[in-house]
Amino acid sequence: STLFGMGAAVPTDMPKVTYGVLSHPAVAWTEIEGTARGVYNFKAIDSFVKNAPKDSNGVALIDIVFGWTPGWAVANQSSCIKNNKTGMVSCTSPPDNIQDWINFITEVINHYNGVTAPHVKYYEIWNEMSNSKFWTGTPAQMVAMAQAAYPILKQDPYSTVFTPSVVWLNGVNYMTKYLQAGGNLYADGLTFHGYPSQTGPGYTTPVPMPESPLSTNAPIVTMITTFRAIADTNGLLGKPIATTEGGWGTNGVTDSDQQIAWITHYEILQAGIASANNLLFQTWYTWGYVQSGDIETKTGVPTPAGLA
């Protein structure tokens, strides 16, 4: 059952379908320490952790993903965006002082200690490092972030630490460069986002079926086998891979019958090659009533595709 991951938009609307791993909530650095240096607010992430599935040791089967450097940690604000609703400033560049990052990671691992809050099974160093909306630093700078965080996160014997995730566009080259720059030394597995086709303004919908050669990114099986090969040839031989997001994307499929077929193909294709590729889990993004991969109704119950 842990093969089947599910994303959720808000902790008050957890998936009402069977799933084994909860995919990442909001990117966690700005979410937890976004207001000021040393001021931590775990309330939102805790809600997901406490509601996530648990293993036999009570460890939360959730992927916490880090990302977006808080504005207070960056002097040059050219890579930063302010959220007008929250006042939070999020940046795509690395922090000026890596000690700020070290202090944050230390606070996280001390918080999810099994007493204050449940242990967390999966940590992902950064969200979509190949996407300039989340990271504009270099692969080497990201390796430095992982090098600092990895030994701290591994103080928890229950933790699995993933590479930063990538998207397909630019992701193959970026992940290769990252691992070859030393990122393989600071990861227990590799993560990527499995969207076979691009969606959003300017893209045609409905998107092709997930196995289709007409996919504008790549068929989902091609993605899995490609990243398996990248892991094996760049220092992560035999270590697991995982998709921590994926699906038909933003309004990629809207017809109910086609949604049922699409999600069924998507899940079965990945399950069918999971063992051969050591695919630890794959994630549908997302359960919550948002545009990307929506499989619930406005009243919070599964759509026919969600039931499928």
Side-chain angles (χ1 to χ4, degrees):
S1 65
T2 52
L3 175 67
F4 299 96
M6 183 67 66
V10 292
T12 54
D13 183 21
M14 298 298 287
K16 298 175 182 66
V17 293
T18 301
Y19 69 105
V21 176
L22 185 65
S23 182
H24 67 82
V27 288
W29 194 2
T30 47
E31 182 67 32
I32 294 170
E33 198 189 7
T35 57
R37 179 182 285 109
V39 178
Y40 303 100
N41 184 353
F42 285 92
K43 183 178 179 180
I45 304 296
D46 277 357
S47 297
F48 287 102
V49 171
K50 291 174 182 177
N51 285 295
K54 307 295 190 298
D55 69 10
S56 59
N57 293 311
V59 178
L61 299 176
I62 183 174
D63 173 42
I64 289 184
V65 58
F66 304 120
W68 277 336
T69 305
W72 54 258
V74 178
N76 183 344
Q77 299 279 295
S78 62
S79 74
C80 305
I81 297 174
K82 184 177 182 179
N83 185 318
N84 292 326
K85 289 184 179 180
T86 64
M88 209 82 76
V89 178
S90 304
C91 308
T92 58
S93 58
D96 295 342
N97 186 352
I98 201 165
Q99 188 63 46
D100 287 328
W101 168 248
I102 291 170
N103 293 344
F104 164 69
I105 295 295
T106 302
E107 190 73 19
V108 167
I109 211 67
N110 288 339
H111 180 77
Y112 294 111
N113 58 11
V115 179
T116 307
H119 290 280
V120 166
K121 182 65 175 177
Y122 303 111
Y123 292 99
E124 188 177 319
I125 293 294
W126 206 265
N127 185 62
E128 295 188 358
M129 66 175 171
S130 62
N131 183 350
S132 61
K133 292 180 180 179
F134 291 96
W135 178 253
T136 50
T138 65
Q141 287 174 317
M142 183 56 73
V143 170
M145 301 280 281
Q147 182 179 12
Y150 185 80
I152 302 170
L153 295 171
K154 294 302 289 184
Q155 290 174 9
D156 185 338
Y158 295 108
S159 70
T160 296
V161 180
F162 288 129
T163 65
S165 58
V166 291
V167 293
W168 183 257
L169 183 65
N170 300 325
V172 171
N173 289 334
Y174 207 106
M175 181 61 76
T176 301
K177 291 178 180 178
Y178 173 79
L179 295 177
Q180 291 179 349
N184 64 297
L185 300 174
Y186 313 109
D188 303 319
L190 179 152
T191 58
F192 63 98
H193 288 173
Y195 296 100
S197 291
Q198 298 175 56
T199 53
Y203 290 99
T204 301
T205 57
V207 298
M209 294 296 284
E211 72 272 25
S212 173
L214 299 178
S215 300
T216 56
N217 284 326
I220 188 60
V221 169
T222 299
M223 288 185 172
I224 292 170
T225 55
T226 297
F227 282 110
R228 176 72 270 161
I230 290 172
D232 288 347
T233 56
N234 292 284
L236 296 179
L237 179 64
K239 292 189 176 182
I241 62 175
T243 62
T244 52
E245 279 188 32
W248 60 55
T250 305
N251 297 325
V253 182
T254 55
D255 176 78
S256 179
D257 288 338
Q258 190 175 12
Q259 286 184 337
I260 293 169
W262 207 101
I263 197 169
T264 301
H265 285 217
Y266 186 77
E267 300 289 347
I268 290 175
L269 285 164
Q270 294 184 81
I273 64 170
S275 294
N277 290 273
N278 197 10
L279 179 69
L280 188 62
F281 63 86
Q282 55 81 23
T283 305
W284 183 263
Y285 193 82
T286 183
W287 161 260
Y289 192 68
V290 294
Q291 291 181 325
S292 185
D294 174 27
I295 54 171
E296 74 164 344
T297 69
K298 289 182 179 180
T299 58
V301 299
T303 64
L307 293 174

